[in-house]
Every structure is written in C-alpha cells, then in structure tokens.
Amino acid sequence: MEKTNNNQKRHLSLVKELQEKIKQVKLGGGEKRIAKEHAKGKLTARERIEYLLDDGVHFLEIGALAADGMYEEEGGCPSAGVITGIGQVSGRMCVVVANDATVKAGAWFPMTAKKNLRAQEIAMENRLPIIYLVDSAGVFLPKQNEIFPDKEHFGRQFRNNAKMSSMGIVQIAAIMGSCVAGGAYLPIMSDEALIVDKTGSIFLAGSYLVKAAIGETVDNETLGGATTHCEISGVTDNKYENDKDCLDAIKGIFKTLGSSDKASFDKIESKAPSKTIDELFQLFPADRVKPYDMHEVLNCLVDAGSFDEYKSGFGQTLVCGTARIDGWAVGIIANQRKMVKTKKGEMQMGGVIYSDSADKAARFIMNCNQRKIPLLFVQDVSGFMVGSRAEHGGIIKDGAKMVNAMANSVVPKFTLIIGNSYGAGNYAMCGKAYDPRLIFSWPTAQMAVMSGASAAKTLLQIKVASLKKAGKEITEEDEAKLLKDITDKYNEELSPYYAAARLWVDGVVHPEDTRSIISKGIEAANHAPITERFNVGVIQT
C-alpha cells in the first residue's frame, strides 16, 4: 500500500509541475506588459480568445509550451509568442491564432512560425475555418536566418493561405495591432480583413523605414491605419472602435457560415470510464522501467464496457481493439508493458514490438480503415525486438507492414505518449512524422532514439575511446563524471517539455484531460469527409 501511495504522490507532483508551467506561460510577457496593453485600450491575446469563443465550450490549446526554455538569451518567448488552438465561435468549430503582443511585441521567432504552420495544418486537415487575431511587430530580425527562406519557414504560411482559399476553408483576419512587412500578406490573403481603429495598422514598411528608404516623412496612422485602409486603399473591409467590437463582428460572420459535409464518424451517448484518474495514478507506474497491464490504463480512458479486443491471444505486446471515448467510436493500438506468454510458452518483453504484434497491428489498422473508425495510438514503446532470432523471423518485414499500413491510413490518427517513445517504435506507433491529427503526451512521457541509460553508456564509450586515442589518461573518477554529464544532458532531452517546446508534441497534458482532447480531436476530424481510398501499396508478405 505504501508503494501505491508513493506512486500516486509522484504523479501528483508531476501534474503540479505541469500546472505551474502552464500558469507561468499564460502570463505571456508578464504583468507589466499586460498592463501596457490595457493602457492602450487593447485586450491581451488570451483575453481576445476568451471573449471571442462561445461560453462554456472548452478551448483546446495547441502548443502552449512551445519555445519553453528556448531563446533564453533573448529573454525567452513564452508560448512562442502566439496562442493557437481549437475552439467554437457562434456554434461553429474553428482554429484560432492570436499573436501575443506582450511577448516581444508579438515578433515572430522561428518557433512562432512553426506553431503558426501547425495551426494552419490542423485547419487544413480537418477543414475547419480559421481566425487570425493579428498583432505582431514582424520577424525577430536577430533570428531571421532561421525563419525566412526555407520550405517550412515564414513564407509557408502565405502558401497555406492560398491553398486553404482554394480548398474552400474560410479565413477571417482581424488586425488588432501592428501588422508589418511580409506579415501584412496574411490578413489580406484571408477572405475578410477587419481592423481596429487607432490601434490596428498594416503596411509593408513602417514610417522609420519609409524615411530611410525614400526620404518620405509620414506617421504610421496615415501610412497604414484603419481609416487609410478602409477609406483610401480598400485593403481592409471594415474598421471597428475597439477590440470587442471587432470580435463581435467575427461572431456575426460565423453566424452566417453555411454547413459543411461531415465524415460521419459514429458517436453515441458518452459513458464514464470504469476506473478513475485516482485509480490510474495508483496502477500506472511513474517509474518508466516498471511493468503494468495496459488494459488497466485503457479502462481509465475509454467508456465503460466499450472495449472490444482484437486477437487478444496473438501478438500480445500490442493491445488492439475498438472502443468508445466520450461516445465516439475509436480503434486503439497500445503497447502492452507487462511480460506476456505466447501459446508456445515463450516469454515476450513488455513495451517491445515483435513480429506477431506488428502483423496484428497492420491487419487491425486495415480493418479500421475499412470500417471508417478513427485510430488512437497509445505509446509506451521501447522499440522493435532485436537479435538473431527476431531478424531470422523477419522483424524488419513485419515492422514495415505495420508502418506501411499506419502511414497510408486515411482515417484520422491521434497519438498519446504516456511513457517511453524510443527509436523506430515512435515511428510505428504514429509519431509526429506520420501526421497524427493531434499528438499529446503525459508528464510521464520520454522521447528519444533510445533510453537514457542505453544512450549514456553508448555515448560514454565513444567519448572515452576518443580521449584515449588522443593520448589522454582516463581515471575512474573522470569516467564517472563524464557519464553523469552525458546522462544529465540526455535526460533533459528525454523530457516531455523538451519535446513540447519544439512542437514534437502538441502539448503536455494532465491525464484527466485525455478523454476531452481525443473527443475534441475526433469532432474536429469529423468536419473533413474521407475522400481517399485506403491502399497500402507494395507490402512483402
């Protein structure tokens, strides 16, 4: 009983750490910067979103921890200086993107661009309208080489503007502060461009640059304010007295939107899970090396009595089956972390994908595509089985089958990382490279090419060999210090917060929020009819 209590305490400690991080992030550039925005008569980005969205409907934030611990020399960039997520306006689900002017005047850092592109990707995949609340000083010039010229850099958002327009995805932009240089194209490539009088401005070059470039003396309001663009240039559609008036206009636009086709994923009345989050914290080990039964974890996530397991006696290191989450039908592929015994009496290691497991998963993915059931991958994986026996049994071929089926799946995929996510196991279980509609992790997650212990020992061997080759003597004390330094660095990179900062995952979440996130994700995906036919291409059998 003492161990159970200790495990529960560890989970609660991890959750508290997460909550503290989120609380700090939501302050943006800090209380002084928030006060300055209020003094200008402006709402902050988060206040704008709160006013815009329908009351009582959860806003699913994407990338809240983006840029966490990054850009420290520049003073940090909380949430990458932009708030993004899925919400509801006038009864219509949509994506919202709001520049946070309290963070470096809303300037674009490299992670800002990556986060903006992620929001547009979510809108495109799910055919959701998107709202841009623009308030940005433009590209953060000291980092321009990391944001300007490449395929997934700043310019990609304008390409996406054009693509979304051709796809019939509604884009509404509200210019609520500065909108400078290349960033000026984003609102004007949207379907409708609104602007707030006196605080909103849009121009390719501000007054200082105009003076330097062509010698003209002009103030910013005359150059690109609301009156200029609504009455002279015609660049913007309408101007509004303040933030709330502008946001009310967006609500009015959304009331007139026509309905769209649906994917028609199945949903029935929701049921609570058979086990509670408190029970989850008792049975799910906070220690990543301890075994547990994945069925018990799933009982805390799926609607009570809904799980129907597929091939329960075969390929047991992967648990596959259909279930319901908040009433939505979903196909689940989850790593089994306990040791399992095969029909032949052989023991298989938990968290490892064997040939029979991979084959089972590939067939199950095909079935879900045939039945139009969204897929949820629950990751706690060490990788594929290695060794001569596995190689002779064709582990590479069977692993390729699973990856092929997963990659070519046409039903929406969602990924939840609750524990380990190592090497090719990350790929096969629908890591970020395989286009999950949403990918979130719990505070217990770890993501890397291999475990910390294995990586540290490997890196130590390489480092010691290199030093000895250079003629340096290595004592046991030196070796111990090297191991500690390597282990500390690698463990930092294993952290779910390291992954969230770089948008390898969409966020780190409290386990109790998992059901609502998956439900919101499927609801969003339901706006995009499946038009492709599932085809796995060439697979060796």
Side-chain angles (χ1 to χ4, degrees), residues 22 55 73 119 133 157 189 193 270 304 322:
I22 296 296
D55 292 338
E73 291 183 5
L133 307 180
Q157 67 176 329
M189 292 186 74
S270 176
T322 55

Side-chain angles (χ1 to χ4, degrees), residues 333-519:
I333 298 118
N335 303 108
Q336 176 58 282
R337 283 292 301 185
K338 69 175 185 177
M339 295 281 287
V340 297
K341 193 174 185 179
T342 69
K343 293 284 185 181
K344 297 178 180 178
E346 299 165 342
M347 298 302 295
Q348 292 185 336
M349 293 167 55
V352 176
I353 302 174
Y354 288 76
S355 283
D356 54 355
S357 307
D359 180 71
K360 178 173 80 169
R363 291 170 181 270
F364 179 70
I365 291 167
M366 293 176 192
N367 286 353
C368 288
N369 274 269
Q370 189 76 356
R371 294 162 61 183
K372 292 189 177 179
I373 300 174
L375 290 165
L376 171 64
F377 293 82
V378 182
Q379 288 196 17
D380 192 350
V381 58
S382 303
F384 284 90
M385 190 58 191
V386 296
S388 60
R389 187 169 185 177
E391 297 293 359
H392 295 171
I395 186 64
I396 296 175
K397 176 188 66 177
D398 290 317
K401 283 185 200 173
M402 180 179 174
V403 172
N404 199 324
M406 179 273 298
N408 282 297
S409 176
V410 297
V411 296
K413 298 171 291 193
F414 302 89
T415 302
L416 175 67
I417 305 172
I418 68 173
N420 302 334
S421 180
Y422 297 151
N426 170 280
Y427 297 164
M429 292 292 291
C430 196
K432 186 65 182 287
Y434 292 86
D435 300 323
R437 296 290 177 96
L438 294 174
I439 175 170
F440 281 88
S441 77
W442 287 356
T444 44
Q446 295 183 336
M447 190 185 307
V449 73
M450 64 178 72
S451 71
S454 299
K457 289 173 183 176
T458 303
L459 291 169
L460 177 66
Q461 289 172 5
I462 294 169
K463 183 72 174 176
V464 168
S466 176
L467 290 170
K468 286 181 177 178
K469 189 175 181 181
K472 296 183 180 179
E473 291 293 328
I474 305 297
T475 66
E476 288 186 7
E477 290 77 10
D478 292 334
E479 199 167 313
K481 185 179 183 306
L482 276 173
L483 180 60
K484 183 181 183 306
D485 291 344
I486 291 169
T487 301
D488 289 348
K489 181 179 183 299
Y490 201 86
N491 283 340
E492 178 189 350
E493 294 174 2
L494 278 172
S495 164
Y497 298 112
Y498 190 91
R502 290 151 182 81
L503 285 179
W504 299 344
V505 295
D506 291 319
V508 183
V509 296
H510 191 315
E512 72 179 3
D513 295 329
T514 304
R515 278 170 54 83
S516 64
I517 289 170
I518 300 304
S519 177

Side-chain angles (χ1 to χ4, degrees), residues 32-275:
K32 288 184 179 179
R33 284 294 307 165
I34 291 171
K36 285 184 178 181
E37 292 301 298
H38 289 165
K40 296 175 187 175
K42 296 166 65 177
L43 300 174
T44 66
R46 291 188 181 277
E47 289 168 343
R48 288 166 177 167
I49 291 173
E50 184 179 3
Y51 183 84
L52 176 66
L53 297 181
D54 295 348
D55 292 338
V57 180
H58 174 64
F59 177 62
L60 176 55
E61 187 166 352
I62 305 294
L65 294 166
D68 178 53
M70 301 172 70
Y71 312 123
E72 293 301 314
E73 291 183 5
E74 292 79 16
C77 188
S79 276
V82 62
I83 317 303
T84 63
I86 302 171
Q88 182 175 292
V89 174
S90 299
R92 290 297 301 268
M93 183 172 266
C94 62
V95 173
V96 181
V97 177
N99 299 111
D100 187 350
T102 71
V103 180
K104 296 286 188 296
W108 285 65
F109 282 70
M111 286 306 302
T112 316
K114 187 172 183 178
K115 188 170 174 180
N116 226 54
L117 292 176
R118 176 61 177 146
Q120 289 182 319
E121 179 183 47
I122 289 170
M124 294 168 79
E125 286 181 331
N126 298 294
R127 301 296 194 273
L128 293 177
I130 186 167
I131 298 168
Y132 306 101
L133 307 180
V134 185
D135 193 346
S136 172
V139 169
F140 184 71
L141 289 178
K143 296 285 184 183
Q144 66 85 26
N145 64 315
E146 299 176 43
I147 191 175
F148 171 63
D150 209 348
K151 181 178 178 180
E152 299 294 335
H153 281 180
F154 190 72
R156 185 76 172 182
Q157 67 176 329
F158 311 131
R159 174 265 187 193
N160 287 349
N161 283 142
K163 288 290 185 182
M164 281 191 277
S165 182
S166 71
M167 294 165 68
I169 296 172
V170 173
Q171 300 175 80
I172 308 296
I175 302 156
M176 312 185 83
S178 297
C179 186
V180 185
Y185 286 101
L186 185 144
I188 308 311
M189 292 186 74
S190 299
D191 298 300
E192 303 195 39
L194 320 179
I195 187 168
V196 179
D197 197 18
K198 300 297 187 291
T199 55
S201 60
I202 178 169
F203 31 66
L204 293 182
S207 56
Y208 293 124
L209 184 53
V210 167
K211 178 70 174 177
I214 63 173
E216 181 185 0
T217 301
V218 62
D219 63 87
N220 282 339
E221 185 64 25
T222 302
L223 184 66
T227 298
T228 294
H229 285 311
C230 286
E231 299 178 16
I232 300 174
S233 72
V235 166
T236 52
D237 301 326
N238 289 298
K239 65 179 179 180
Y240 300 89
E241 286 189 17
N242 54 49
D243 282 7
K244 288 186 176 180
D245 285 344
C246 187
L247 296 169
D248 284 336
I250 296 174
K251 294 179 186 181
I253 290 169
F254 264 65
K255 287 177 181 176
T256 68
L257 296 185
S259 61
S260 58
D261 294 335
K262 302 285 186 183
S264 300
F265 299 127
D266 191 60
K267 187 179 185 185
I268 61 174
E269 185 177 350
S270 176
K271 289 183 181 179
S274 61
K275 291 187 180 294

